Amino acid sequence: MLGRLFGKPKQEANALTTLDKLNETLEMLEKKEKVLVKKAAAEVEKAKEFAKGRNKRAAIQCLKRKRLYEQQIEQLGNFQLRIHDQMIMLEGAKATTETVDALRTGAAAMKAMQKATNIDDVDKTMDEINEQTENMKQIQEALSTPIGAAADFDEDELEAELEELEGAELEEQLLQPTTTAPAAPVQVPAGRQPARPVPQKHTAEEDELAALQAEMAL
């Protein structure tokens, strides 16, 4: 357990230290390469001067030293290439390790969450919720049930009584005489005479009623 806790930071530190060391070595090789390039160029200039002075032997020695410098430059170039390859591989391995560590951490977190909320606990929780819901329904039904004298009332009888009341109310409305509102006065425009009322025809019942009233007056 302690190895897991302290191994990862140590590995990261080692990787960073190695990368720093490779960078320093690469910079050192590049500096040496620049120096050798300058020396090779200087030998070429010396060979030219000796060639002008007809000193062929000295000019050839300068060219030999120039080739030695070029061999070293080529060797340094190969060293730099290997260091670049090593750095790329190390950076890729570091990225792979970090990715695996992240995936491992995620898997462990997922496992812990699943352990904390397994299927048995979920089923148990749902059963408790359903049971509490059913109990609440029973409590509400019990509270809404009539108690005392109201529990003895017959719903059918109450509905029949209500229908009788509604029928009686409707019958009373039908028996009430209808009253007509008085006609509004008709405004006659100026300069026009109102039309004479047309005498209404009396029905036979009205004639009999008028005759009866005349006999009673006698």
Side-chain angles (χ1 to χ4, degrees):
M1 184 67 181
L2 293 176
R4 285 188 176 181
L5 291 176
F6 298 102
K8 181 180 176 182
K10 186 176 181 181
Q11 291 176 358
E12 290 182 355
N14 291 335
L16 293 175
T17 302
T18 304
L19 285 172
D20 292 338
K21 182 63 177 177
L22 291 173
N23 278 320
E24 292 177 0
T25 304
L26 185 62
E27 291 177 359
M28 180 267 295
L29 293 175
E30 290 175 350
K31 290 179 180 179
K32 284 188 175 182
E33 183 182 4
K34 290 180 180 179
V35 172
L36 292 175
V37 169
K38 289 181 179 179
K39 288 183 177 181
E43 292 297 333
V44 172
E45 294 299 327
K46 290 180 181 179
K48 291 180 180 179
E49 293 294 331
F50 286 128
K52 290 179 181 179
R54 304 293 180 176
N55 191 348
K56 183 178 181 182
R57 187 177 187 86
I60 291 175
Q61 292 297 326
C62 292
L63 293 177
K64 287 181 179 181
R65 286 193 295 270
K66 189 260 297 184
R67 289 190 177 183
L68 290 175
Y69 289 143
E70 289 176 347
Q71 290 177 358
Q72 291 181 6
I73 292 171
E74 184 178 0
Q75 188 176 11
L76 291 176
N78 292 331
F79 290 163
Q80 294 178 33
L81 182 60
R82 289 185 180 182
I83 291 177
H84 278 296
D85 291 341
Q86 190 69 27
M87 291 176 64
I88 292 173
M89 292 177 61
L90 185 59
E91 290 174 352
K94 182 174 178 293
T96 302
T97 303
E98 292 176 351
T99 302
V100 173
D101 289 339
L103 293 174
R104 186 183 295 112
T105 303
M110 182 68 70
K111 184 177 180 180
M113 288 188 291
Q114 290 178 353
K115 185 177 180 180
T117 57
N118 56 31
I119 187 63
D120 295 334
D121 293 338
V122 173
D123 292 338
K124 184 178 179 181
T125 302
M126 294 305 299
D127 292 339
E128 292 177 354
I129 293 175
N130 293 331
E131 183 179 356
Q132 292 174 3
T133 303
E134 187 64 26
N135 292 337
M136 183 59 64
K137 288 183 180 179
Q138 294 178 2
I139 292 172
Q140 292 176 352
E141 291 177 357
L143 293 175
S144 62
T145 302
I147 59 176
D152 298 332
F153 294 152
D154 189 352
E155 294 291 336
D156 295 336
E157 292 180 358
L158 293 175
E159 291 182 1
E161 183 178 355
L162 179 60
E163 290 179 358
E164 291 179 0
L165 290 176
E166 292 176 349
E169 181 69 19
L170 179 60
E171 184 178 355
E172 183 178 354
Q173 292 178 359
L174 292 175
L175 292 177
Q176 288 181 356
T178 57
T179 58
T180 57
V186 180
Q187 296 182 358
V188 180
R192 295 182 61 182
Q193 296 295 328
R196 295 181 180 179
V198 179
Q200 298 181 353
K201 295 182 180 180
H202 296 283
T203 61
E205 293 180 356
E206 292 177 348
D207 293 337
E208 291 178 358
L209 181 59
L212 181 58
Q213 288 176 353
E215 290 180 357
M216 291 176 65
L218 295 174

